[in-house]
Amino acid sequence: MTTPAPLPPGSTIGIIGGGQLGRMAALAAAKLGYRVHVFCPEADSPAEQVAAVATVADYTDLAALEAFARAVDVVTFEFENIPAESVRLLASLVPVRPSWRVLEVAQDRISEKRFFNSIGIETAPWAEVGSAAELAGAVARLGRPAVLKTTRMGYDGKGQVKITAETDLDEAWNALDGAPAVLEGFIDFAGEISVIVARGTGGGWSTFDPAWNVHTNHILDTTTVPAPITPQLAAQAREAARKVAETLELEGLLAVEMFVTRDGRLLANEMAPRPHNSGHWTMDACVTDQFEQFIRAVCALPLGSAERHSDAVMKNLIGDDVHDWPRILRDPGAKLHLYGKAEARAGRKMGHVTRISPRRP
Ligand code: AMP
């Protein structure tokens, strides 16, 4: 296979999805001289606000997708839950990076876990669950506590039920409205990390330093880098992410989230084939940040250096946290990033703030 030619500055990148990830990717694209055309179902989305052009239409609107594909030079995603038929149509008209194969694996928790296990990456013990009876059998095998998750469209703890000693299994099953699910053994982890890997069209790759992530109410609260893990574990985490990218022949950027067990093992939880909230620290602490790296990979440019020049703590501003912006701005060392969302609903990611400090040796 020949390596595609770099997309020259002035070209138009089509981004599917209009959220904050698309917004920050569009800003990175603009810095490299590209134009961005956003495709998303809502008007005045965070990405649309900073894009040259936007199409507001449903992800299943094939006529709108076709017109979009004809107007751009490459298509990528900041939101991966796009129907196969839509991606197929786009790919018949314009280069799509990453490919459908990558999206397909990442759209479904079971295909994701099968994939991790097939390349020797451990996960929490898991079982496929399609009925209340299968749930009872799976709980008998994996034990309690456990977590029942819908296989598709879950994020930030949505579509999840924890199964404790007291949980009624019929109630737990009914809570997911009959959606196909996976039961996972509950991991009493020492912590959670993520590694972001970029892989270019020529096969070159680069990983960012593993990040240490703390969640509150299933939503990322803070990311700290460097992660308080051994160099050996950090190397193992990077290698896992590299292997995922290599095996999937990724063209783009992908985050792998992992649990660190109390006995020092890594268990992959999930992957996201796009920039990731746990990579926002790179904007203020790396030579090349995750959004620029993403744009470089998608546009067939050489990857930049992912070197971390500073230590960093990134804090998400969720819901009403955003009203703290005047105080945050009074701290001259705090780097504030806001996403342009009008309404601060509970649980909504409104922005983030990163504080950097000199890199420890
Ligand atoms: P997820 O939607 O799979 O990313 O889950 C959101 C968060 O729930 C994770 O980041 C963990 O903090 C927690 N969680 C998910 N699965 C498990 C598990 N099997 N054991 C323990 N905690 C979990």
Side-chain angles (χ1 to χ4, degrees):
M1 212 183 89
T2 54
T3 306
L7 203 63
S11 305
T12 301
I13 304 169
I15 299 182
I16 300 276
Q20 63 270 15
L21 302 174
R23 178 185 181 94
M24 291 182 275
L27 293 172
K31 280 199 253 179
L32 290 172
Y34 294 110
R35 297 168 65 82
V36 164
H37 184 155
V38 166
F39 187 109
C40 81
E42 303 90 24
D44 194 36
S45 64
E48 179 181 346
Q49 290 169 16
V50 302
V53 189
T55 298
V56 177
D58 199 83
Y59 297 129
T60 55
D61 183 338
L62 298 181
L65 284 165
E66 179 169 347
F68 167 75
R70 292 191 190 285
V72 302
D73 298 296
V74 66
V75 168
T76 192
F77 307 86
E78 68 99 52
F79 172 80
E80 64 272 30
N81 290 311
I82 306 298
E85 197 187 345
S86 302
V87 181
R88 213 175 295 127
L89 172 68
L90 293 169
S92 70
L93 297 166
V94 67
V96 170
R97 302 187 184 121
S99 67
W100 168 243
R101 157 107 176 104
V102 179
L103 300 179
E104 186 183 29
V105 170
Q107 278 185 357
D108 183 287
R109 289 186 189 274
I110 289 176
S111 63
E112 210 169 58
K113 287 177 202 301
R114 276 205 188 107
F115 172 73
F116 284 136
N117 296 160
S118 76
I119 59 168
I121 298 174
E122 251 194 294
T123 54
W126 60 274
E128 203 168 339
V129 171
S131 66
E134 281 179 19
L135 176 61
V139 170
R141 276 195 314 261
L142 298 187
R144 302 185 192 219
V147 192
L148 183 66
K149 303 180 180 177
T150 55
T151 58
R152 302 179 83 85
M153 299 297 280
Y155 68 97
D156 289 349
K158 293 183 173 68
Q160 290 191 25
V161 187
K162 186 167 175 190
I163 301 207
T164 63
E166 292 80 43
T167 306
D168 178 273
L169 295 185
D170 286 330
E171 265 175 40
W173 172 249
N174 290 334
L176 299 187
D177 290 329
V182 59
L183 185 76
E184 293 176 20
F186 187 81
I187 306 300
D188 177 26
F189 50 71
E192 295 183 81
I193 62 168
S194 55
V195 174
I196 293 172
V197 57
R199 186 174 176 279
T201 48
W205 60 276
S206 169
T207 51
F208 288 97
D209 285 356
W212 181 259
N213 301 321
V214 175
H215 294 81
T216 305
N217 301 324
H218 295 279
I219 301 174
L220 184 65
D221 180 42
T222 60
T223 295
T224 302
V225 184
I229 56 175
T230 63
Q232 291 78 6
L233 204 66
Q236 197 186 321
R238 283 183 196 263
E239 171 54 17
R242 186 203 64 79
K243 204 165 177 186
V244 167
E246 198 60 45
T247 312
L248 291 174
E249 297 179 359
L250 172 74
E251 293 176 330
L253 182 118
L254 179 147
V256 183
E257 294 184 78
M258 296 168 242
F259 301 127
V260 180
T261 65
R262 292 188 185 277
D263 58 358
R265 286 176 306 132
L266 290 176
L267 304 177
N269 177 31
E270 59 181 359
M271 67 168 99
R274 50 166 169 75
H276 194 255
N277 194 170
S278 68
H280 291 357
W281 65 275
T282 63
M283 298 172 87
D284 297 303
C286 290
V287 176
T288 309
D289 68 57
Q290 67 161 347
F291 296 102
E292 179 178 339
Q293 201 76 309
F294 172 57
I295 295 298
R296 283 173 176 248
V298 163
C299 294
L301 304 181
L303 298 178
S305 163
E307 191 188 340
R308 171 172 59 87
H309 55 67
S310 300
D311 292 355
V313 178
M314 187 285 310
K315 178 156 180 32
N316 265 341
L317 301 174
I318 308 287
D320 285 337
D321 293 350
V322 71
H323 302 312
D324 223 16
W325 64 265
R327 192 187 59 80
I328 294 167
L329 285 174
R330 280 198 295 276
D331 173 355
K335 299 293 288 182
L336 179 66
H337 302 257
L338 297 179
Y339 306 151
K341 297 182 185 178
E343 205 190 326
R345 287 197 295 272
R348 195 169 196 212
K349 290 174 178 167
M350 302 299 292
H352 70 268
V353 56
T354 303
R355 291 181 172 82
I356 61 172
S357 53
R359 180 177 171 145
R360 283 166 281 160

